[in-house]
Amino acid sequence: MNPTLTFHGAAGCVTGSCAELRTGDARLLVDCGMFQGSKTLKALNYEPFPFEPSSIDAVLLTHAHIDHSGLLPKLMRGGFRGPIFATAATRDLCEVMLADAGGIQESEVRFLNHRNEQRGRPLIEPIYTAKDAARVMGQFERIKLGETVGVAKGVTATFWEAGHILGSASIEVHTAAEPEPLKLLFSGDLGPGGSEFVADPRGPSGVDHLILESTYGDRERTEADASARRRLLAKALVDAHAAGGPLLMPAFAVERTQELLADLLTVMDSGEAPQGDIFLDSPLAIEATEVFLERGWNPEAGRNPFLDVRPSSRLRFLRKPWESDGLERLKGWHVILAASGMCEAGRVRKHLKRLLWRKEATVLLPGFQAAGTLGRLLADGAERVTIQGDEVRVRARVETLDVYSGHADARALVAWAEGRRPIAGSVFLNHGEPEAVRGLRGRLIGAGFAADQLLSPTVDTTFRLGAHRAEAEEGAQPRIAPEAASALDWHNARAEFLLALNQALEEASNDAERAAMLRRLRGGLSKSARVDAGQGAPTPPA
Ligand SMILES: [Zn+2]
């Protein structure tokens, strides 16, 4: 049979990376990541996998980010016993990240179950625990960049530098299966190149099928070398200081945080930016920093650039919750870095709750914000947001700083794809929101790729792989409608509606007007609700 490739995530959206390659002899996953974004999308994390975990022979892991690795402990709980191939740095970062994700699972489920009990709803189970995360580490097998390893019957893999974060790799896969051998290349997340922290992305040329990430497929960033990046960071600090401070940066705990810390210390020490205390308020990022100090050697630079995260009297690592709570009493200018990068979990939400309504505060978003996340709502200019059920008015300055992005922009993606030519078969554009995928598609056609060579998979679609083309299989039952993967859902709509309602009630001139407003809305609800609402409710339009 021809091999097949199924996209179980990161198709029409940027999270939940998981591709299943099936040959006559073997079944492999490339990545097994968690979904992030709307509640509808995140609900997939709790549902069973759309395949039998025990039938998977091996996992090839591109990098440690949780949207690529976050469901590995769940896979193991479901019966997967095979090896997980990853670089040494990816393995070490996963050890801290998965343990943290398990801990977050446990505490969030405790919080949710408390509410479920109050509301008389059934209790839920964590997807996995910190213990499961520790257990799955026993299945990791280290693989070096450039080394070709047999990963399952009739399948070999070679990892290439992807330049996205420490340890990140693109993965070349050879299948010896009938009817003909195939060479596939999974880009994983690709870095922008030209960074002093990670190497430039590389890859083989001449592949049958290319699976290409599209995160920034519709966006070209201003090119910024290391010193230009620091100048922009310094400017953001000067502005935040002038507004009265403090500055809060929701940062990805792995790579972004360490790069920012190194540069924050540099621009403060050089006097380019106002000096002040820098608090790293993320136990995960603190632990990950140890991995960077140990494994961050950059062969191109001939040094470990993360050693710039040097001991400094202005850099404070906050491990204990009470140390984090102490920040509330702090006045004046200081900088806080806290995870998670898209404001979905972790201590950053607590700081947003207490700082967003203060107009002297600045929130600086240094990474990509996926649709449906709190970070994206802020980046898009929301005036009010709901954080853990509490409504918060946004009066702080909210800025973005995309020069610290770990992703290649549209131009760099096209250049990287061109470097992989000749490509005999198809190019799958995954890991991108629909607009980004369309943007990249247009650019690739402009660069000479044939339109019928470019495929845009959606979640749970399967393709049959021939040597010269891939064809979509009919009849798949996706777990989520393609357009829902990166759209706001009814939970988002409800939150937005309630915020608008509260604002309208506040602004109404008297109580009679408020009561009339509520009566009208009540009248628009279902028939039983209309009966409940009693007399006085106007008849709603049909
Ligand atoms: Zn990533």
Side-chain angles (χ1 to χ4, degrees), residues 62-385:
T62 61
H63 65 292
H65 275 154
I66 219 69
D67 59 318
H68 292 257
S69 69
L71 291 185
L72 286 169
K74 173 180 161 180
L75 192 71
M76 175 208 69
R77 265 173 80 133
F80 166 65
R81 296 289 175 265
I84 300 164
F85 293 93
T87 62
T90 295
R91 188 228 159 264
D92 289 359
L93 288 171
C94 276
E95 188 162 28
V96 290
M97 298 195 70
L98 295 177
D100 180 80
I104 287 179
Q105 281 300 312
E106 290 175 64
S107 64
E108 293 216 326
V109 163
R110 253 197 314 274
F111 175 81
L112 285 174
N113 277 344
H114 181 67
R115 223 169 47 186
N116 286 341
E117 263 185 324
Q118 284 174 335
R119 295 179 184 178
R121 291 185 189 155
L123 301 187
I124 52 170
E125 284 247 346
I127 304 169
Y128 58 85
T129 63
K131 225 180 187 168
D132 297 321
R135 252 181 62 205
V136 80
M137 293 315 298
Q139 288 172 250
F140 274 73
E141 289 195 18
R142 293 184 181 89
I143 185 166
K144 286 199 176 90
L145 292 181
E147 177 184 32
T148 298
V149 175
V151 291
K153 193 176 172 204
V155 185
T156 61
T158 312
F159 283 40
W160 294 79
E161 176 64 61
H164 169 59
I165 66 167
L166 183 64
S168 66
S170 300
I171 305 179
E172 177 187 340
V173 177
H174 286 253
T175 67
E178 297 296 316
E180 60 231 316
L182 286 179
K183 177 173 167 184
L184 312 179
L185 181 62
F186 295 83
S187 74
D189 287 4
L190 291 168
S195 157
E196 57 184 4
F197 292 100
V198 276
D200 291 349
R202 298 178 59 227
S205 56
V207 299
D208 291 312
H209 299 288
L210 177 64
I211 297 87
L212 176 61
E213 70 117 323
S214 322
T215 316
Y216 279 98
D218 60 342
R219 243 192 286 175
E220 284 183 16
R221 288 193 305 267
T222 37
E223 264 183 63
D225 62 8
S227 61
R229 249 165 51 143
R230 281 195 286 270
R231 270 201 304 282
L232 289 166
L233 178 66
K235 165 120 185 16
L237 265 71
V238 168
D239 294 346
H241 180 257
L247 172 67
L248 172 64
M249 302 178 87
F252 294 95
V254 166
E255 186 79 35
R256 202 74 47 248
T257 289
Q258 289 74 24
E259 293 186 7
L260 284 163
L261 284 180
D263 281 358
L264 282 168
L265 287 169
T266 302
V267 295
M268 281 193 186
D269 287 351
S270 69
E272 282 176 87
Q275 305 189 339
D277 287 330
I278 304 165
F279 298 94
L280 178 55
D281 191 20
S282 161
L284 168 63
I286 294 167
E287 274 196 63
T289 301
E290 297 297 320
V291 180
F292 280 81
L293 293 177
E294 191 186 332
R295 294 213 180 265
W297 177 262
N298 180 340
E300 283 168 22
R303 66 187 285 263
N304 178 352
F306 297 100
L307 293 175
D308 290 350
V309 186
R310 52 201 169 268
S312 161
S313 58
R314 63 169 115 262
L315 178 58
R316 315 276 177 83
F317 286 178
L318 310 183
R319 289 186 174 82
K320 302 273 179 286
W322 56 265
E323 293 176 307
S324 170
D325 292 341
L327 291 174
E328 286 176 26
R329 292 187 291 279
L330 221 58
K331 300 259 178 304
W333 170 241
H334 56 277
V335 177
I336 302 169
L337 274 89
S340 73
M342 298 196 241
C343 311
E344 286 289 273
R347 294 181 182 175
V348 73
R349 292 192 296 184
K350 175 182 71 180
H351 296 305
L352 286 167
K353 243 195 232 185
R354 68 180 182 86
L355 291 175
L356 272 176
W357 62 274
R358 287 166 53 179
K359 65 177 187 311
E360 72 277 16
T362 300
V363 176
L364 186 62
L365 300 163
F368 184 83
Q369 306 294 328
T373 60
L374 175 57
R376 176 68 159 263
L377 296 177
L378 291 172
D380 287 348
E383 289 176 6
R384 288 166 188 248
V385 291

Side-chain angles (χ1 to χ4, degrees), residues 12-14 212-219 368 376 410 413 429-444 456 486:
C13 58
V14 297
L212 176 61
E213 70 117 323
S214 322
T215 316
Y216 279 98
D218 60 342
R219 243 192 286 175
F368 184 83
R376 176 68 159 263
L413 286 172
L429 305 179
N430 75 335
H431 201 287
E433 290 172 5
E435 263 174 54
V437 169
R438 277 194 294 275
L440 186 56
R441 187 184 156 81
R443 282 163 199 273
L444 287 170
S456 312
S486 65

